[in-house]
Amino acid sequence: MIELDYKAIRDVLWSEDVQEALQSALLKAFQREMQENGLIQIENDYENGWKRLSAVLHGKQVNLLEDLEVLCSDEAKVAFRIAFERGQYAGFQHFFQRDTEPLTFEAFVLNEILTLPEMKQFPDYCEARSKVNELETELADQLDPFSREHLTSITSAWEERCMAMLRYGFALGHQAAVEVIRSTAPEQAARMAQAGWRAAKETGMTDW
């Protein structure tokens, strides 16, 4: 007998391999977006920061920087998952509660996951953010001011990437909900298409 529940399926859908592939694709999309918007300097500073620090760090410091990169990536993955699930909720809420104001990305994601005390409802994200902060501080304390600037370039780039993962997650989650509704209630396609457009516009994904 095969025993399955939603948690088991969810673990497969959010497995490390799936998250790695998804994040890789989304980061490429983010870099294209930055290029189109004339903001690619953030990514250039990230690359330069790695280049400069790799030339001056030694021993444990190298390991700390590599570990920090992994933790920043993990934080972005957690952020995407949370935003995706909230995007799904927002899409279904718009369908089933027609008389209520649609849940927005700013109110339902940004004001929740990026502010205290609301952030505490996401222990996985809080833990990831805390680990990043601790490791960044530990490494920064060992660097000269010039090298700290390059470290900041790396972590700042990841903050921008994490914000992108929140935007993409909410929009794609909302789109997933819309597609489910459109396939099961085709008569609602036009109304849900409008809802999907609003979510895409709010998150800057109208060109996707």
Side-chain angles (χ1 to χ4, degrees), residues 7 26 33 41 77 162:
K7 185 179 182 303
L26 291 174
E33 179 185 352
Q41 189 60 45
K77 291 173 187 173
C162 191

Side-chain angles (χ1 to χ4, degrees), residues 111-180:
N111 293 347
E112 295 285 318
I113 194 172
L114 297 182
T115 59
L116 289 171
E118 288 79 5
M119 186 191 297
K120 293 181 180 179
Q121 66 186 295
F122 309 109
D124 290 350
Y125 182 79
C126 285
E127 181 180 1
R129 180 95 285 269
S130 177
K131 288 180 178 179
V132 168
N133 288 339
E134 290 174 5
L135 201 58
E136 181 182 2
T137 299
E138 181 180 354
L139 181 55
D141 288 344
Q142 302 178 33
L143 303 179
D144 59 80
F146 183 71
S147 296
R148 282 196 204 112
E149 291 183 8
H150 290 305
L151 177 62
T152 298
S153 294
I154 292 173
T155 55
S156 294
W158 270 109
E159 288 174 1
E160 292 294 332
R161 293 172 178 180
C162 191
M163 179 64 72
M165 294 303 106
L166 289 173
R167 290 192 293 112
Y168 296 167
F170 183 80
L172 291 171
H174 196 285
Q175 182 181 338
V178 168
E179 288 303 316
V180 169

Side-chain angles (χ1 to χ4, degrees), residues 16-17 19 50-51 53 64 89 116 142 152 183 185 195:
E16 185 62 28
D17 288 344
Q19 290 190 74
W50 258 98
K51 180 180 179 180
L53 289 181
L64 288 175
Y89 183 94
L116 289 171
Q142 302 178 33
T152 298
S183 66

Side-chain angles (χ1 to χ4, degrees), residues 80-122:
F80 178 86
R81 175 178 54 78
I82 292 171
F84 185 89
E85 292 176 347
R86 294 212 146 206
Q88 285 183 305
Y89 183 94
F92 287 119
Q93 182 253 18
H94 182 76
F95 177 70
F96 288 107
Q97 300 179 351
R98 304 184 186 186
D99 297 330
T100 60
E101 191 70 20
L103 293 168
T104 66
F105 172 67
E106 180 178 3
F108 202 44
V109 177
L110 293 186
N111 293 347
E112 295 285 318
I113 194 172
L114 297 182
T115 59
L116 289 171
E118 288 79 5
M119 186 191 297
K120 293 181 180 179
Q121 66 186 295
F122 309 109

